[in-house]
Amino acid sequence: MTHWTPDDIPWAEFRPDRLTPDLLKVVKAASMVERNAGDYTAYLIKVFRDDPTFRQIVVDWRAEEVQHGDVLGRYAELADPAFSFKDRFQRFVDGYKVPIDLEKSVRGSLTGELLARCIVETGTSSFYSAMRDATDEPVLKAICHRIAGDEFRHYKTFYDFMKRYIEREGVSVFRRALVAVGRIRETDDDELAYAYHAANDTADTPYDHARCNREYALRAWSLYRPQHTERAVNMVLKVIGIDTQGWIAGRAKSFAWKKMRTRAEALRRAA
Ligand SMILES: [Fe+2]
Ligand SMILES: [Fe+2]
């Protein structure tokens, strides 16, 4: 069951003059990744085969992620009538595969798996909050507001389950930090870059990971303001088990913001 439906979005209030082409490209790429999250469900259900409560949560989570993709896809079609969400999404799934055949968590433990999910939800919640705050196009703002709410709730759900598994598995703060850093690094992997390609490139443009990664990051990162980065850092520290008010947290927040700025600046120069 989802907490809202596409009927809650004020579609008729769309103001095309308030939507930039760059932002639309980001929306199109996001619609691919969100719609595909369902694929990850099969993997999670296998990995958590002994936890029926969590498996039900995964089923509900899937419905919400699929709805995110469908609503963003519908928005992209509204803004660009030449965009076919169905065809573009097909192109995405033909070229990008989530590793769903695995029987065991790729994170080394179920705690690690839940922690990695928390990192993903940290990324999505901050991304949709940043997009909501960056745009004054009313329909996109309304969509981002609802999706961001879902993503924060997903984070909370995975975090609560992770705490139970920490008790069972005894995964140390150090190991949790390794999983967190590993998952954050994967942000540069193929998923977002390929989504950008499938959603935005013409059919005869070859996939170029570095180019697509750069083009996506250039547009997505410029949406962020310090408050979005700070909240994301707090969420990451919390799952690792580090005090969000302490010295490490202060350093991590200024490091994250600086790193984001310098990378965004380097991307802008390269473009
Ligand atoms: Fe989502
Ligand atoms: Fe989510």
Side-chain angles (χ1 to χ4, degrees):
M1 192 200 75
T2 54
H3 285 69
W4 53 274
T5 76
D7 294 339
D8 296 321
I9 305 298
W11 298 101
E13 289 173 25
F14 180 55
R15 290 280 307 269
D17 54 313
R18 294 192 186 172
L19 179 67
T20 64
D22 282 337
L23 190 51
L24 182 57
K25 285 183 175 176
V26 174
V27 170
K28 286 175 178 175
S31 73
M32 306 282 113
V33 178
E34 291 283 346
R35 186 63 178 76
N36 201 39
D39 233 21
Y40 211 77
T41 317
Y43 162 74
L44 285 177
I45 284 182
K46 261 191 214 169
V47 168
F48 286 91
R49 58 177 99 50
D50 297 329
D51 188 337
T53 315
F54 186 71
R55 286 205 317 266
Q56 183 53 49
I57 281 171
V58 169
V59 171
D60 296 341
W61 165 78
R62 177 188 193 274
E64 299 197 349
E65 300 296 4
V66 167
Q67 175 165 285
H68 296 170
D70 287 340
V71 167
L72 290 166
R74 180 171 161 184
Y75 180 80
E77 287 184 340
L78 174 69
D80 173 8
F83 179 83
S84 164
F85 179 52
K86 190 168 159 275
D87 294 352
R88 293 284 181 163
F89 183 64
Q90 192 57 49
R91 194 190 293 182
F92 177 63
V93 294
D94 286 347
Y96 179 79
K97 296 269 178 271
V98 175
I100 51 172
D101 298 336
L102 302 166
E103 295 289 327
K104 273 176 76 180
S105 171
V106 292
R107 311 291 165 191
S109 65
L110 295 178
T111 303
E113 189 58 48
L114 290 162
L115 193 151
R117 296 318 311 166
C118 288
I119 300 293
V120 174
E121 302 295 349
T122 299
T124 53
S125 58
S126 66
F127 170 71
Y128 292 108
S129 303
M131 186 142 69
R132 173 200 62 207
D133 296 344
T135 185
D136 56 359
E137 197 298 291
V139 181
L140 186 58
K141 213 177 187 58
I143 291 172
C144 291
H145 172 69
R146 284 180 173 77
I147 297 183
D150 286 349
E151 310 295 20
F152 281 117
R153 199 162 27 75
H154 295 164
Y155 170 91
K156 169 98 175 57
T157 304
F158 290 132
Y159 176 70
D160 289 344
F161 267 86
M162 187 197 75
K163 280 195 293 191
R164 295 188 204 173
Y165 276 91
I166 289 175
E167 277 174 32
R168 272 185 235 174
E169 297 180 321
V171 178
S172 68
V173 170
F174 178 69
R175 287 223 62 86
R176 273 140 64 190
L178 286 182
V179 173
V181 171
R183 186 57 192 85
I184 292 167
R185 284 210 168 137
E186 286 170 26
T187 312
D188 281 339
D189 280 5
D190 262 341
E191 191 173 26
L192 280 168
Y194 201 84
Y196 186 89
H197 165 71
N200 291 295
D201 285 342
T202 55
D204 55 353
T205 308
Y207 174 55
D208 175 343
H209 172 77
R211 174 184 60 80
C212 293
N213 201 23
R214 195 171 56 234
E215 290 197 18
Y216 174 80
L218 180 66
R219 291 171 176 86
W221 290 15
S222 66
L223 303 171
Y224 281 73
R225 294 293 165 264
Q227 66 269 26
H228 307 119
T229 314
E230 183 168 331
R231 187 161 185 188
V233 172
N234 278 338
M235 289 165 77
V236 170
L237 294 174
K238 197 171 144 189
V239 289
I240 298 173
I242 296 172
D243 174 18
T244 56
Q245 299 304 316
W247 178 81
I248 297 176
R251 302 285 296 194
K253 281 172 220 173
S254 65
F255 172 79
W257 178 243
K258 253 188 232 152
K259 173 131 180 127
M260 199 154 199
R261 287 290 87 188
T262 43
R263 247 196 100 179
E265 192 45 48
L267 287 168
R268 250 195 305 277
R269 272 201 303 273

Short mmCIF file of all heavy atoms in Angstrom, two decimals, residues 155 230-231 233-239 241-250 253:
data_model
loop_
_atom_site.label_atom_id
_atom_site.label_comp_id
_atom_site.label_asym_id
_atom_site.label_seq_id
_atom_site.Cartn_x
_atom_site.Cartn_y
_atom_site.Cartn_z
N TYR A 155 14.22 5.13 4.72
CA TYR A 155 15.46 5.15 5.50
C TYR A 155 15.17 4.70 6.93
O TYR A 155 15.85 3.84 7.49
CB TYR A 155 16.04 6.57 5.51
CG TYR A 155 17.18 6.79 6.48
CD1 TYR A 155 18.51 6.60 6.09
CD2 TYR A 155 16.94 7.18 7.79
CE1 TYR A 155 19.55 6.80 6.97
CE2 TYR A 155 17.97 7.38 8.69
CZ TYR A 155 19.28 7.19 8.29
OH TYR A 155 20.31 7.38 9.18
N GLU A 230 24.22 18.41 4.71
CA GLU A 230 24.38 18.22 6.15
C GLU A 230 23.44 17.13 6.67
O GLU A 230 23.83 16.26 7.44
CB GLU A 230 24.13 19.55 6.88
CG GLU A 230 24.35 19.42 8.36
CD GLU A 230 24.39 20.75 9.09
OE1 GLU A 230 24.78 21.76 8.47
OE2 GLU A 230 24.03 20.75 10.27
N ARG A 231 22.22 17.19 6.22
CA ARG A 231 21.26 16.18 6.67
C ARG A 231 21.68 14.79 6.19
O ARG A 231 21.58 13.82 6.94
CB ARG A 231 19.85 16.53 6.16
CG ARG A 231 18.81 15.61 6.74
CD ARG A 231 17.42 16.18 6.64
NE ARG A 231 16.48 15.30 7.31
CZ ARG A 231 15.17 15.47 7.26
NH1 ARG A 231 14.64 16.48 6.61
NH2 ARG A 231 14.36 14.62 7.88
N VAL A 233 24.71 13.74 5.56
CA VAL A 233 25.87 13.28 6.35
C VAL A 233 25.39 12.77 7.71
O VAL A 233 25.82 11.71 8.17
CB VAL A 233 26.92 14.41 6.51
CG1 VAL A 233 28.02 13.99 7.48
CG2 VAL A 233 27.54 14.77 5.16
N ASN A 234 24.47 13.50 8.33
CA ASN A 234 23.93 13.04 9.62
C ASN A 234 23.30 11.66 9.51
O ASN A 234 23.47 10.81 10.38
CB ASN A 234 22.86 14.02 10.13
CG ASN A 234 23.48 15.23 10.82
OD1 ASN A 234 24.63 15.17 11.28
ND2 ASN A 234 22.74 16.32 10.89
N MET A 235 22.58 11.44 8.41
CA MET A 235 21.90 10.15 8.23
C MET A 235 22.91 9.02 8.05
O MET A 235 22.72 7.92 8.55
CB MET A 235 20.95 10.23 7.03
CG MET A 235 19.72 11.10 7.33
SD MET A 235 18.79 11.58 5.84
CE MET A 235 17.89 10.07 5.49
N VAL A 236 24.00 9.32 7.34
CA VAL A 236 25.05 8.30 7.13
C VAL A 236 25.75 7.99 8.46
O VAL A 236 25.95 6.83 8.82
CB VAL A 236 26.07 8.77 6.05
CG1 VAL A 236 27.27 7.83 6.01
CG2 VAL A 236 25.42 8.85 4.68
N LEU A 237 26.09 9.06 9.21
CA LEU A 237 26.79 8.85 10.48
C LEU A 237 25.93 8.04 11.45
O LEU A 237 26.43 7.17 12.17
CB LEU A 237 27.13 10.21 11.12
CG LEU A 237 28.15 11.06 10.35
CD1 LEU A 237 28.28 12.43 11.01
CD2 LEU A 237 29.51 10.39 10.28
N LYS A 238 24.64 8.32 11.42
CA LYS A 238 23.72 7.62 12.33
C LYS A 238 23.72 6.11 12.07
O LYS A 238 23.74 5.31 13.01
CB LYS A 238 22.32 8.21 12.13
CG LYS A 238 21.36 7.88 13.24
CD LYS A 238 20.08 8.68 13.07
CE LYS A 238 18.90 7.84 13.51
NZ LYS A 238 17.62 8.42 13.21
N VAL A 239 23.71 5.70 10.80
CA VAL A 239 23.69 4.26 10.53
C VAL A 239 25.03 3.59 10.86
O VAL A 239 25.07 2.42 11.22
CB VAL A 239 23.29 3.88 9.08
CG1 VAL A 239 21.82 4.15 8.85
CG2 VAL A 239 24.14 4.54 8.04
N GLY A 241 26.86 4.62 13.35
CA GLY A 241 26.91 4.60 14.81
C GLY A 241 27.82 5.68 15.36
O GLY A 241 28.40 5.52 16.44
N ILE A 242 27.98 6.78 14.62
CA ILE A 242 28.84 7.90 15.05
C ILE A 242 27.95 9.06 15.50
O ILE A 242 26.96 9.38 14.83
CB ILE A 242 29.77 8.35 13.90
CG1 ILE A 242 30.74 7.22 13.52
CG2 ILE A 242 30.54 9.63 14.26
CD1 ILE A 242 31.58 7.49 12.28
N ASP A 243 28.33 9.67 16.63
CA ASP A 243 27.59 10.81 17.19
C ASP A 243 27.47 11.94 16.15
O ASP A 243 28.50 12.44 15.68
CB ASP A 243 28.33 11.29 18.45
CG ASP A 243 27.73 12.57 19.02
OD1 ASP A 243 26.58 12.88 18.68
OD2 ASP A 243 28.44 13.24 19.81
N THR A 244 26.24 12.34 15.82
CA THR A 244 26.05 13.34 14.77
C THR A 244 26.37 14.76 15.24
O THR A 244 26.39 15.70 14.44
CB THR A 244 24.61 13.31 14.21
OG1 THR A 244 23.71 13.50 15.31
CG2 THR A 244 24.30 12.00 13.52
N GLN A 245 26.60 14.91 16.56
CA GLN A 245 26.92 16.25 17.08
C GLN A 245 28.40 16.39 17.43
O GLN A 245 28.84 17.46 17.85
CB GLN A 245 26.09 16.55 18.36
CG GLN A 245 24.57 16.54 18.16
CD GLN A 245 24.15 17.52 17.08
OE1 GLN A 245 24.63 18.66 17.02
NE2 GLN A 245 23.24 17.09 16.20
N GLY A 246 29.15 15.30 17.30
CA GLY A 246 30.54 15.30 17.75
C GLY A 246 31.52 15.93 16.78
O GLY A 246 31.15 16.48 15.74
N TRP A 247 32.79 15.79 17.12
CA TRP A 247 33.88 16.39 16.35
C TRP A 247 33.96 15.76 14.95
O TRP A 247 34.06 16.46 13.95
CB TRP A 247 35.20 16.18 17.12
CG TRP A 247 36.40 16.71 16.40
CD1 TRP A 247 36.81 18.03 16.38
CD2 TRP A 247 37.34 15.99 15.60
NE1 TRP A 247 37.95 18.14 15.61
CE2 TRP A 247 38.29 16.92 15.13
CE3 TRP A 247 37.47 14.64 15.25
CZ2 TRP A 247 39.37 16.54 14.32
CZ3 TRP A 247 38.54 14.26 14.44
CH2 TRP A 247 39.47 15.21 13.98
N ILE A 248 33.87 14.41 14.90
CA ILE A 248 33.96 13.71 13.61
C ILE A 248 32.84 14.20 12.69
O ILE A 248 33.04 14.45 11.50
CB ILE A 248 33.85 12.18 13.80
CG1 ILE A 248 35.02 11.66 14.64
CG2 ILE A 248 33.81 11.46 12.44
CD1 ILE A 248 34.95 10.18 14.96
N ALA A 249 31.65 14.36 13.29
CA ALA A 249 30.50 14.78 12.49
C ALA A 249 30.73 16.16 11.88
O ALA A 249 30.46 16.40 10.70
CB ALA A 249 29.25 14.79 13.35
N GLY A 250 31.28 17.07 12.69
CA GLY A 250 31.55 18.42 12.20
C GLY A 250 32.52 18.40 11.02
O GLY A 250 32.30 19.05 10.00
N LYS A 253 30.86 16.87 7.86
CA LYS A 253 29.92 17.77 7.18
C LYS A 253 30.65 18.80 6.33
O LYS A 253 30.28 19.04 5.17
CB LYS A 253 29.01 18.46 8.20
CG LYS A 253 27.89 17.55 8.67
CD LYS A 253 27.12 18.18 9.81
CE LYS A 253 26.79 17.11 10.83
NZ LYS A 253 26.19 17.61 12.04
#
